[in-house]
PDB file of all heavy atoms in Angstrom:
ATOM      1  N   ALA A  27      -8.058   2.456  -8.286  1.00  0.00           N
ATOM      2  CA  ALA A  27      -7.077   2.286  -7.211  1.00  0.00           C
ATOM      3  C   ALA A  27      -6.789   3.626  -6.541  1.00  0.00           C
ATOM      4  O   ALA A  27      -6.770   3.728  -5.305  1.00  0.00           O
ATOM      5  CB  ALA A  27      -5.789   1.678  -7.761  1.00  0.00           C
ATOM      6  N   LEU A  28      -6.587   4.659  -7.335  1.00  0.00           N
ATOM      7  CA  LEU A  28      -6.304   5.983  -6.767  1.00  0.00           C
ATOM      8  C   LEU A  28      -7.497   6.500  -5.973  1.00  0.00           C
ATOM      9  O   LEU A  28      -7.328   7.170  -4.955  1.00  0.00           O
ATOM     10  CB  LEU A  28      -5.919   6.971  -7.874  1.00  0.00           C
ATOM     11  CG  LEU A  28      -4.550   6.707  -8.513  1.00  0.00           C
ATOM     12  CD1 LEU A  28      -4.378   7.552  -9.768  1.00  0.00           C
ATOM     13  CD2 LEU A  28      -3.431   6.966  -7.520  1.00  0.00           C
ATOM     14  N   GLY A  29      -8.691   6.175  -6.426  1.00  0.00           N
ATOM     15  CA  GLY A  29      -9.896   6.577  -5.705  1.00  0.00           C
ATOM     16  C   GLY A  29     -10.036   5.863  -4.369  1.00  0.00           C
ATOM     17  O   GLY A  29     -10.629   6.393  -3.436  1.00  0.00           O
ATOM     18  N   SER A  30      -9.450   4.676  -4.263  1.00  0.00           N
ATOM     19  CA  SER A  30      -9.469   3.940  -2.996  1.00  0.00           C
ATOM     20  C   SER A  30      -8.362   4.414  -2.060  1.00  0.00           C
ATOM     21  O   SER A  30      -8.543   4.479  -0.849  1.00  0.00           O
ATOM     22  CB  SER A  30      -9.293   2.443  -3.245  1.00  0.00           C
ATOM     23  OG  SER A  30     -10.395   1.942  -3.949  1.00  0.00           O
ATOM     24  N   LEU A  31      -7.207   4.748  -2.641  1.00  0.00           N
ATOM     25  CA  LEU A  31      -6.057   5.149  -1.833  1.00  0.00           C
ATOM     26  C   LEU A  31      -6.191   6.573  -1.301  1.00  0.00           C
ATOM     27  O   LEU A  31      -5.699   6.886  -0.225  1.00  0.00           O
ATOM     28  CB  LEU A  31      -4.770   5.027  -2.661  1.00  0.00           C
ATOM     29  CG  LEU A  31      -4.387   3.606  -3.048  1.00  0.00           C
ATOM     30  CD1 LEU A  31      -3.321   3.619  -4.134  1.00  0.00           C
ATOM     31  CD2 LEU A  31      -3.899   2.847  -1.832  1.00  0.00           C
ATOM     32  N   CYS A  32      -6.824   7.438  -2.085  1.00  0.00           N
ATOM     33  CA  CYS A  32      -7.033   8.846  -1.699  1.00  0.00           C
ATOM     34  C   CYS A  32      -5.756   9.532  -1.223  1.00  0.00           C
ATOM     35  O   CYS A  32      -5.729  10.169  -0.168  1.00  0.00           O
ATOM     36  CB  CYS A  32      -8.139   8.960  -0.648  1.00  0.00           C
ATOM     37  SG  CYS A  32      -9.775   8.589  -1.321  1.00  0.00           S
ATOM     38  N   ASP A  33      -4.710   9.397  -2.011  1.00  0.00           N
ATOM     39  CA  ASP A  33      -3.455  10.084  -1.709  1.00  0.00           C
ATOM     40  C   ASP A  33      -3.607  11.567  -2.027  1.00  0.00           C
ATOM     41  O   ASP A  33      -4.033  11.935  -3.117  1.00  0.00           O
ATOM     42  CB  ASP A  33      -2.322   9.481  -2.554  1.00  0.00           C
ATOM     43  CG  ASP A  33      -1.005  10.188  -2.334  1.00  0.00           C
ATOM     44  OD1 ASP A  33      -0.397   9.972  -1.262  1.00  0.00           O
ATOM     45  OD2 ASP A  33      -0.593  10.959  -3.214  1.00  0.00           O
ATOM     46  N   ALA A  34      -3.277  12.422  -1.068  1.00  0.00           N
ATOM     47  CA  ALA A  34      -3.494  13.861  -1.235  1.00  0.00           C
ATOM     48  C   ALA A  34      -2.458  14.522  -2.137  1.00  0.00           C
ATOM     49  O   ALA A  34      -2.677  15.626  -2.622  1.00  0.00           O
ATOM     50  CB  ALA A  34      -3.492  14.539   0.135  1.00  0.00           C
ATOM     51  N   GLY A  35      -1.350  13.865  -2.389  1.00  0.00           N
ATOM     52  CA  GLY A  35      -0.286  14.458  -3.196  1.00  0.00           C
ATOM     53  C   GLY A  35      -0.325  13.995  -4.639  1.00  0.00           C
ATOM     54  O   GLY A  35      -1.132  14.446  -5.452  1.00  0.00           O
ATOM     55  N   GLU A  36       0.560  13.060  -4.938  1.00  0.00           N
ATOM     56  CA  GLU A  36       0.709  12.543  -6.302  1.00  0.00           C
ATOM     57  C   GLU A  36      -0.581  11.912  -6.827  1.00  0.00           C
ATOM     58  O   GLU A  36      -0.943  12.080  -7.993  1.00  0.00           O
ATOM     59  CB  GLU A  36       1.854  11.529  -6.326  1.00  0.00           C
ATOM     60  CG  GLU A  36       2.213  11.032  -7.700  1.00  0.00           C
ATOM     61  CD  GLU A  36       3.352  10.019  -7.689  1.00  0.00           C
ATOM     62  OE1 GLU A  36       3.690   9.492  -6.608  1.00  0.00           O
ATOM     63  OE2 GLU A  36       3.876   9.753  -8.775  1.00  0.00           O
ATOM     64  N   GLY A  37      -1.290  11.204  -5.953  1.00  0.00           N
ATOM     65  CA  GLY A  37      -2.533  10.561  -6.367  1.00  0.00           C
ATOM     66  C   GLY A  37      -3.602  11.561  -6.764  1.00  0.00           C
ATOM     67  O   GLY A  37      -4.276  11.406  -7.783  1.00  0.00           O
ATOM     68  N   ALA A  38      -3.749  12.614  -5.973  1.00  0.00           N
ATOM     69  CA  ALA A  38      -4.737  13.652  -6.283  1.00  0.00           C
ATOM     70  C   ALA A  38      -4.395  14.356  -7.585  1.00  0.00           C
ATOM     71  O   ALA A  38      -5.271  14.637  -8.407  1.00  0.00           O
ATOM     72  CB  ALA A  38      -4.823  14.656  -5.133  1.00  0.00           C
ATOM     73  N   ALA A  39      -3.108  14.629  -7.795  1.00  0.00           N
ATOM     74  CA  ALA A  39      -2.677  15.278  -9.037  1.00  0.00           C
ATOM     75  C   ALA A  39      -2.953  14.386 -10.240  1.00  0.00           C
ATOM     76  O   ALA A  39      -3.392  14.861 -11.297  1.00  0.00           O
ATOM     77  CB  ALA A  39      -1.193  15.633  -8.953  1.00  0.00           C
ATOM     78  N   ALA A  40      -2.715  13.085 -10.078  1.00  0.00           N
ATOM     79  CA  ALA A  40      -2.961  12.147 -11.177  1.00  0.00           C
ATOM     80  C   ALA A  40      -4.447  12.047 -11.495  1.00  0.00           C
ATOM     81  O   ALA A  40      -4.836  11.981 -12.660  1.00  0.00           O
ATOM     82  CB  ALA A  40      -2.395  10.771 -10.819  1.00  0.00           C
ATOM     83  N   LEU A  41      -5.292  12.043 -10.460  1.00  0.00           N
ATOM     84  CA  LEU A  41      -6.741  12.007 -10.696  1.00  0.00           C
ATOM     85  C   LEU A  41      -7.206  13.279 -11.399  1.00  0.00           C
ATOM     86  O   LEU A  41      -8.057  13.228 -12.289  1.00  0.00           O
ATOM     87  CB  LEU A  41      -7.502  11.826  -9.383  1.00  0.00           C
ATOM     88  CG  LEU A  41      -7.515  10.413  -8.813  1.00  0.00           C
ATOM     89  CD1 LEU A  41      -8.186  10.399  -7.449  1.00  0.00           C
ATOM     90  CD2 LEU A  41      -8.220   9.444  -9.753  1.00  0.00           C
ATOM     91  N   LYS A  42      -6.637  14.405 -11.014  1.00  0.00           N
ATOM     92  CA  LYS A  42      -7.009  15.669 -11.664  1.00  0.00           C
ATOM     93  C   LYS A  42      -6.649  15.630 -13.151  1.00  0.00           C
ATOM     94  O   LYS A  42      -7.439  16.019 -14.002  1.00  0.00           O
ATOM     95  CB  LYS A  42      -6.304  16.840 -10.973  1.00  0.00           C
ATOM     96  CG  LYS A  42      -6.693  18.181 -11.530  1.00  0.00           C
ATOM     97  CD  LYS A  42      -6.079  19.311 -10.747  1.00  0.00           C
ATOM     98  CE  LYS A  42      -6.517  20.655 -11.313  1.00  0.00           C
ATOM     99  NZ  LYS A  42      -5.951  21.775 -10.572  1.00  0.00           N
ATOM    100  N   LYS A  43      -5.461  15.120 -13.446  1.00  0.00           N
ATOM    101  CA  LYS A  43      -5.036  15.007 -14.838  1.00  0.00           C
ATOM    102  C   LYS A  43      -5.928  14.018 -15.595  1.00  0.00           C
ATOM    103  O   LYS A  43      -6.340  14.272 -16.723  1.00  0.00           O
ATOM    104  CB  LYS A  43      -3.571  14.567 -14.905  1.00  0.00           C
ATOM    105  CG  LYS A  43      -3.039  14.494 -16.311  1.00  0.00           C
ATOM    106  CD  LYS A  43      -1.575  14.126 -16.331  1.00  0.00           C
ATOM    107  CE  LYS A  43      -1.087  14.020 -17.771  1.00  0.00           C
ATOM    108  NZ  LYS A  43       0.293  13.572 -17.855  1.00  0.00           N
ATOM    109  N   ALA A  44      -6.245  12.887 -14.967  1.00  0.00           N
ATOM    110  CA  ALA A  44      -7.073  11.864 -15.615  1.00  0.00           C
ATOM    111  C   ALA A  44      -8.483  12.386 -15.872  1.00  0.00           C
ATOM    112  O   ALA A  44      -9.148  11.960 -16.819  1.00  0.00           O
ATOM    113  CB  ALA A  44      -7.120  10.601 -14.765  1.00  0.00           C
ATOM    114  N   SER A  45      -8.944  13.322 -15.055  1.00  0.00           N
ATOM    115  CA  SER A  45     -10.285  13.881 -15.253  1.00  0.00           C
ATOM    116  C   SER A  45     -10.363  14.715 -16.532  1.00  0.00           C
ATOM    117  O   SER A  45     -11.441  15.063 -16.978  1.00  0.00           O
ATOM    118  CB  SER A  45     -10.725  14.700 -14.041  1.00  0.00           C
ATOM    119  OG  SER A  45      -9.999  15.903 -13.958  1.00  0.00           O
ATOM    120  N   GLN A  46      -9.208  15.006 -17.135  1.00  0.00           N
ATOM    121  CA  GLN A  46      -9.149  15.740 -18.404  1.00  0.00           C
ATOM    122  C   GLN A  46      -8.995  14.788 -19.605  1.00  0.00           C
ATOM    123  O   GLN A  46      -8.810  15.245 -20.727  1.00  0.00           O
ATOM    124  CB  GLN A  46      -7.939  16.690 -18.392  1.00  0.00           C
ATOM    125  CG  GLN A  46      -7.795  17.520 -17.141  1.00  0.00           C
ATOM    126  CD  GLN A  46      -8.652  18.756 -17.156  1.00  0.00           C
ATOM    127  OE1 GLN A  46      -8.782  19.400 -18.176  1.00  0.00           O
ATOM    128  NE2 GLN A  46      -9.244  19.081 -16.029  1.00  0.00           N
ATOM    129  N   SER A  47      -9.067  13.484 -19.348  1.00  0.00           N
ATOM    130  CA  SER A  47      -8.858  12.490 -20.399  1.00  0.00           C
ATOM    131  C   SER A  47      -9.847  12.662 -21.552  1.00  0.00           C
ATOM    132  O   SER A  47     -10.991  13.049 -21.348  1.00  0.00           O
ATOM    133  CB  SER A  47      -9.016  11.082 -19.808  1.00  0.00           C
ATOM    134  OG  SER A  47      -8.945  10.107 -20.827  1.00  0.00           O
ATOM    135  N   LYS A  48      -9.372  12.322 -22.746  1.00  0.00           N
ATOM    136  CA  LYS A  48     -10.253  12.346 -23.926  1.00  0.00           C
ATOM    137  C   LYS A  48     -11.273  11.219 -23.866  1.00  0.00           C
ATOM    138  O   LYS A  48     -12.325  11.298 -24.492  1.00  0.00           O
ATOM    139  CB  LYS A  48      -9.414  12.231 -25.200  1.00  0.00           C
ATOM    140  CG  LYS A  48      -8.556  13.450 -25.458  1.00  0.00           C
ATOM    141  CD  LYS A  48      -7.678  13.265 -26.671  1.00  0.00           C
ATOM    142  CE  LYS A  48      -6.725  14.458 -26.800  1.00  0.00           C
ATOM    143  NZ  LYS A  48      -5.646  14.199 -27.727  1.00  0.00           N
ATOM    144  N   ASP A  49     -10.947  10.166 -23.104  1.00  0.00           N
ATOM    145  CA  ASP A  49     -11.873   9.044 -22.908  1.00  0.00           C
ATOM    146  C   ASP A  49     -12.855   9.461 -21.811  1.00  0.00           C
ATOM    147  O   ASP A  49     -12.480   9.612 -20.651  1.00  0.00           O
ATOM    148  CB  ASP A  49     -11.092   7.797 -22.500  1.00  0.00           C
ATOM    149  CG  ASP A  49     -11.977   6.558 -22.360  1.00  0.00           C
ATOM    150  OD1 ASP A  49     -13.090   6.678 -21.802  1.00  0.00           O
ATOM    151  OD2 ASP A  49     -11.538   5.483 -22.792  1.00  0.00           O
TER     152      ASP A  49
END
Side-chain angles (χ1 to χ4, degrees):
L28 290 169
S30 294
L31 294 166
C32 290
D33 177 74
E36 186 180 14
L41 283 175
K42 183 175 181 179
K43 183 177 178 184
S45 71
Q46 313 277 320
S47 174
K48 292 176 186 166
D49 184 318

